[in-house]
Amino acid sequence: MATLKISLPPESKPLAIEFSSAPITCHRLNGKNYLLRYQSVRIFICGHGKDGFLSGEALCPPSKDPKSRTWNSENCMVMSLLINSMTTKIGENFLLYRIAKEIWDSARDTYTSKDNTSELFAIECRLQDLRQREYSVTDFFNTLTRLWKQLDLFEVYEWECPADGDRFRGIVEQRWIFRFLSSLNPSLDDVRGRILGTKPLPSLRGVFSVVRQEESRRKIMLITTDFSSSVDASALAAQ
């Protein structure tokens, strides 16, 4: 049986091997998740130093330039990554594009505003109804944080003064702290009161750490109490 061999230019082989060693993204573009897919793909490509193909800064050298072959190989590799980060039906629409930047810009223009409102509304509704209930403190905090980060993708502001941006982020973090504390189970009322009485308030991560430690302490106390009760019961039975 004959074996098909694909030869890559020597300079492009490290790139192919490097890209093939890790998944592109778990958020494949389906028409409704552009922002999540955009962020995860951008991180992947920038992490491999090929963001110039998305911004257009990596210009194609003249055809007679020895570097043109390398550029073409890397451009095709990034194009392949972008198309593979889409569902099959959507990716088929981008197969005839010439450069990676065209695919990147076209996907943005086509899907960046489509259904964003409904997606934002769905996240807000989930946050509104979310309570700790059966979640551990860690799982509950991670769920909240993931939803908040998704909201951040929708809220892009350009601040004339960097200090205003820092102040706004501080206000948002304080709201997140109140939201986290207000959604905890009643069994954690004591630690919630202690945190709210702290001046100034700790950071969001600091608040989480305090609450998690309290949850761990309660679990240890419960195990110790149950163990003591079982020992006492065994002693009585022996008597």
Side-chain angles (χ1 to χ4, degrees):
M1 180 181 295
T3 303
L4 177 63
K5 295 183 179 180
I6 301 176
S7 299
L8 292 174
E11 62 272 15
S12 68
K13 288 182 180 179
L15 176 67
I17 295 172
E18 186 179 13
F19 274 148
S20 64
S21 63
I24 306 168
T25 176
C26 59
H27 303 289
R28 298 182 68 193
L29 182 63
N30 58 19
K32 298 180 180 179
N33 62 342
Y34 171 78
L35 290 174
L36 287 176
R37 177 262 183 186
Y38 159 84
Q39 186 71 0
S40 58
V41 171
R42 188 186 67 83
I43 290 172
F44 183 90
I45 292 180
C46 290
H48 288 79
K50 303 305 173 184
D51 47 304
F53 288 91
L54 305 182
S55 64
E57 295 177 2
L59 299 176
C60 179
S63 58
K64 295 183 179 181
D65 191 317
K67 296 180 180 179
S68 64
R69 190 177 184 186
T70 300
W71 185 94
N72 285 325
S73 297
E74 295 183 349
N75 174 64
C76 288
M77 187 64 65
V78 176
M79 288 177 64
S80 177
L81 288 172
L82 294 178
I83 293 173
N84 287 332
S85 69
M86 306 172 180
T87 61
T88 301
K89 290 184 178 180
I90 292 179
E92 288 175 349
N93 298 323
F94 296 90
L95 288 174
L96 299 181
Y97 282 68
R98 298 179 301 107
I99 61 175
K101 179 171 170 43
E102 290 180 348
I103 297 177
W104 185 250
D105 292 346
S106 181
R108 178 198 61 208
D109 296 341
T110 304
Y111 297 104
T112 188
S113 60
K114 184 178 180 181
D115 290 335
N116 276 1
T117 302
S118 60
E119 189 175 353
L120 177 60
F121 179 74
I123 296 173
E124 291 284 7
C125 287
R126 188 177 177 193
L127 280 170
Q128 185 70 25
D129 297 334
L130 193 61
R131 298 292 184 273
Q132 182 188 356
R133 296 190 179 97
E134 72 281 359
Y135 287 104
S136 69
V137 169
T138 299
D139 289 342
F140 179 58
F141 180 79
N142 288 339
T143 300
L144 280 175
T145 302
R146 184 168 59 253
L147 293 172
W148 286 331
K149 293 302 182 183
Q150 290 179 21
L151 287 180
D152 279 347
L153 295 178
F154 291 94
E155 298 174 345
V156 180
Y157 302 104
E158 295 183 2
W159 300 96
E160 294 183 1
C161 176
D164 290 340
D166 294 338
R167 190 175 297 110
F168 177 75
R169 282 187 288 272
I171 294 172
V172 171
E173 181 174 23
Q174 186 180 68
R175 290 176 180 172
W176 287 354
I177 290 172
F178 293 158
R179 178 69 178 83
F180 171 60
L181 291 176
S182 66
S183 303
L184 294 174
N185 290 337
S187 60
L188 294 168
D189 282 347
D190 290 345
V191 68
R192 175 166 44 219
R194 292 200 304 270
I195 291 173
L196 291 175
T198 304
K199 304 295 181 183
L201 278 174
S203 67
L204 178 63
R205 290 285 177 182
V207 169
F208 162 66
S209 178
V210 172
V211 176
R212 185 177 61 82
Q213 290 174 13
E214 177 64 17
E215 181 189 52
S216 298
R217 186 189 70 82
R218 286 176 174 273
K219 288 181 178 179
I220 293 174
M221 293 297 295
L222 182 60
I223 293 172
T224 303
T225 302
D226 290 343
F227 177 75
S228 298
S229 298
S230 64
V231 170
D232 292 341
S234 298
L236 289 173
Q239 292 177 0

